[in-house]
């Protein structure tokens, strides 16, 4: 028997300014801040998942003061996150993101009819809002 995974619990992007990051993810997108450690990270709740935003340089070294054995990690260049949103929510984001000063990079329908909206966070990460049917099995 093979164990089946239940989904993504957390996903990470790397940023360079935690204040700008918090203004975007919490202020513009409305995600609650779970925890923030200045100079290192800010974590946000998105439904049942957590969006981890890290200063890459701070996570490439093991923190000798931390009691947790988290291995070092980090990335270079823009990453990508996609938030699930229904059609009404996408209409909302298509209107409110530009009003909040966040330009829409792309807004289109995929061949299966699912709609996606793409923007950039303050660190240049590609942030997508898409209808879940984008990845519906059998489509």
């Amino acid at each position: 028997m093979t164990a089946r995974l239940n989904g993504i619990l957390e996903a990470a992007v790397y940023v360079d300014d935690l204040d700008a990051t918090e203004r975007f993810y919490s202020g513009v997108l409305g995600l609650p801040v779970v925890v923030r450690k200045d100079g290192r990270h800010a974590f946000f709740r998105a439904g049942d998942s957590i969006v981890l935003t890290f200063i890459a340089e701070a996570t490439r070294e093991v923190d000798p003061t931390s009691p947790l054995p988290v291995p070092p990690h980090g990335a270079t260049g823009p990453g990508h996150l996609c938030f699930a949103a229904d059609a009404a929510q996408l209409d909302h984001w298509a209107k409110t993101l530009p009003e909040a000063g966040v330009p829409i990079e792309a807004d289109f329908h995929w061949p299966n009819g699912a709609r996606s909206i793409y923007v950039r966070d303050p660190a240049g990460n590609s942030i997508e809002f898409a209808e879940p049917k984008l990845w519906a099995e059998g489509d």
Side-chain angles (χ1 to χ4, degrees):
M1 179 179 186
T2 302
R4 183 177 170 107
L5 298 173
N6 294 325
I8 302 294
L9 182 61
E10 59 189 35
V13 292
Y14 295 89
V15 302
D16 49 15
D17 180 334
L18 290 180
D19 291 333
T21 297
E22 188 169 334
R23 282 191 300 272
F24 177 77
Y25 287 95
S26 185
V28 175
L29 301 187
L31 301 180
V33 177
V34 175
V35 66
R36 176 175 165 160
K37 182 176 181 184
D38 286 334
R40 189 170 194 289
H41 63 255
F43 301 163
F44 305 89
R45 181 163 302 282
D48 291 334
S49 300
I50 300 294
V51 174
L52 308 172
T53 64
F54 290 106
I55 304 288
E57 294 77 23
T59 62
R60 288 190 181 118
E61 303 290 328
V62 174
D63 179 356
T65 65
S66 176
L68 304 174
V70 176
H73 53 81
T76 302
H80 174 71
L81 289 176
C82 180
F83 294 103
D86 64 28
Q89 291 167 324
L90 287 171
D91 288 341
H92 165 82
W93 291 118
K95 180 177 184 275
T96 60
L97 287 165
E99 289 173 353
V102 179
I104 292 178
E105 201 169 35
D107 182 349
F108 64 93
H109 288 84
W110 293 90
N112 72 352
R115 181 181 178 195
S116 284
I117 296 173
Y118 288 83
V119 300
R120 296 281 169 173
D121 76 4
N125 293 297
S126 177
I127 307 302
E128 179 183 5
F129 305 83
E131 292 177 286
K133 71 181 179 179
L134 175 63
W135 293 108
E137 292 185 44
D139 287 349

